[in-house]
Amino acid sequence: MQKIKLILTVFTVSVSLFSQSLNNKSVSSISYIGNQTFSEGKLINFSELKPASILVFSSTLFDRRLLKLDAIALKNFYQSEGFLETIVQDSFSVVGDEVEIFFIVNEGKRYYLNNVIINGLESLQEKFVLSTLGLFKGKPYNPVQINTNLSLVDEAFQEEGKLFARYDIQQDIRDSVIITLNIEEGKKIYINNLFRINFRVLFIARFSSPS
């Protein structure tokens, strides 16, 4: 049992020393393997780690945490372009004081938006909702923009007095994608009275039609 503990201790120390030894090493190159749709020049824009040839006057010090984050950013980009099943694996090789980075990309199938069904929409124009969420028929399906811009749709509802709108987005993913957006706008809120207490503006609202 003591031998096992000793081996584990030595292994832990070795990993720690190896991680520390990478701290002062610069990134010499970034290579992408398996990318067919987008060029390396396009993909490197989503990487925080960049070689000196890209930064011209300086180089980025290698950081394993940033490497993982770059892989996630790369996967998110592919998903925003309709590649919902993309797998990105990161790897690196140490050569002297420099680190070579590799991203292995399995793009998978690209999905396009076939149809959008919106239920319960009354206060906003359907065209506005579709364009804000990036839902364009025949275009690559972008779930990232839906998640990012749903707050903009909510703000538009609030401007219409619908402060408690609720959303349910359902994805039917087969050869293409069909989106069903169910909206519960809720009652419209009107402000009856507005007054100030201790430099704070308070208001009394009612859930009914204006008189």
Side-chain angles (χ1 to χ4, degrees):
M1 189 67 178
Q2 292 179 350
K3 290 183 179 181
I4 295 177
K5 290 183 178 180
L6 178 61
I7 293 174
L8 290 175
T9 302
V10 173
F11 176 75
T12 302
V13 172
S14 299
V15 171
S16 177
L17 292 175
F18 177 70
S19 299
Q20 293 177 8
S21 67
L22 294 173
N23 290 340
N24 296 322
K25 296 186 182 298
S26 60
V27 177
S28 63
S29 65
I30 299 180
S31 300
Y32 298 87
I33 302 171
N35 57 303
Q36 299 177 354
T37 308
F38 305 103
S39 66
E40 291 191 359
K42 176 72 172 181
L43 299 181
I44 202 169
N45 292 325
F46 302 94
S47 178
E48 291 292 331
L49 294 172
K50 290 182 172 63
S53 59
I54 300 297
L55 299 176
V56 182
F57 297 112
S58 62
S59 59
T60 305
L61 292 179
F62 180 73
D63 187 317
R64 297 188 71 172
R65 182 182 63 85
L66 286 181
L67 179 62
K68 296 297 181 183
L69 293 176
D70 285 351
I72 293 173
L74 193 59
K75 181 177 181 179
N76 288 340
F77 164 69
Y78 267 96
Q79 289 187 338
S80 71
E81 293 289 337
F83 294 92
L84 308 184
E85 302 168 348
T86 294
I87 298 174
V88 177
Q89 295 178 311
D90 58 86
S91 180
F92 65 91
S93 175
V94 180
V95 181
D97 292 330
E98 296 181 327
V99 178
E100 299 175 348
I101 293 176
F102 304 91
F103 290 107
I104 299 91
V105 181
N106 183 355
E107 293 184 347
K109 176 182 172 61
R110 194 173 199 178
Y111 291 87
Y112 291 82
L113 185 62
N114 179 275
N115 193 22
V116 181
I117 302 171
I118 300 181
N119 301 315
L121 180 63
E122 297 177 356
S123 303
L124 302 177
Q125 293 185 356
E126 182 174 305
K127 183 178 180 180
F128 165 78
V129 174
L130 293 175
S131 61
T132 302
L133 298 181
L135 296 173
F136 303 104
K137 296 180 183 180
K139 298 294 183 180
Y141 174 54
N142 185 355
V144 176
Q145 186 170 348
I146 295 177
N147 294 330
T148 302
N149 290 358
L150 188 59
S151 60
L152 299 179
V153 175
D154 193 56
E155 289 177 4
F157 273 118
Q158 292 182 26
E159 292 178 358
E160 295 294 326
K162 300 298 182 73
L163 303 186
F164 304 105
R166 300 173 61 182
Y167 317 93
D168 175 39
I169 301 176
Q170 299 179 1
Q171 306 176 109
D172 184 6
I173 302 176
R174 300 181 185 179
D175 290 334
S176 57
V177 180
I178 298 176
I179 293 297
T180 301
L181 174 57
N182 298 310
I183 301 175
E184 295 182 15
E185 294 189 2
K187 295 183 178 180
K188 191 169 186 176
I189 297 177
Y190 297 91
I191 298 177
N192 275 356
N193 296 295
L194 186 68
F195 55 95
R196 185 186 300 271
I197 299 178
N198 295 331
F199 304 102
R200 294 182 180 180
V201 176
L202 305 178
F203 65 87
I204 298 177
R206 58 187 173 88
F207 300 82
S208 59
S209 301
S211 56

